[in-house]
Amino acid sequence: KIIQGLDLPQDLFLGIPNISLSGNAEVYISNHRGILSYDEELINILVKDYQLQIKGRGLSIFAYTKDDLTIRGYIRSLEYV
């Protein structure tokens, strides 16, 4: 309730992932917890209490930090599993 009262972004304080998709060519994920598996057609990312599965072709990790991740390639689907 304090966070809502201060009008601060919940993802910043609660560890909720922020996912931004640019067309079907790039996805940006903040507040991830790590890469579980990675190849050119499937990437599994741990976010909060679940996994984010990214499927496509020619997928690559363009940028990676402790908190942020950018994936590029032909993105066919995003799915929480």
Side-chain angles (χ1 to χ4, degrees), residues 4 11 22 25 31 50 59 66 69:
Q4 290 173 344
D11 59 331
S22 297
N31 292 330
Y50 46 88
L59 300 176
K66 179 177 82 78
L69 173 65

Side-chain angles (χ1 to χ4, degrees), residues 2-3 5-6 8 10 19 24 28-29 33 35 39 42-43 45-46 50 55 60 65-66 73-74 79:
I2 294 172
I3 294 169
L6 295 174
L8 297 171
Q10 291 185 8
I19 300 168
N24 65 349
Y28 169 79
I29 304 162
R33 304 255 169 103
I35 299 170
D39 66 37
L42 176 66
I43 300 176
I45 309 294
L46 183 61
Y50 46 88
K55 294 180 182 178
S60 65
T65 68
K66 179 177 82 78
Y74 175 77
E79 181 179 0

Side-chain angles (χ1 to χ4, degrees), residues 25-67:
E26 182 177 274
V27 62
Y28 169 79
I29 304 162
S30 66
N31 292 330
H32 71 87
R33 304 255 169 103
I35 299 170
L36 300 173
S37 65
Y38 165 59
D39 66 37
E40 291 186 351
E41 295 183 352
L42 176 66
I43 300 176
N44 284 305
I45 309 294
L46 183 61
V47 288
K48 188 85 173 146
D49 299 327
Y50 46 88
Q51 291 181 37
L52 177 64
Q53 190 173 77
I54 301 164
K55 294 180 182 178
R57 289 191 317 258
L59 300 176
S60 65
I61 297 171
F62 178 74
Y64 179 86
T65 68
K66 179 177 82 78
D67 298 312

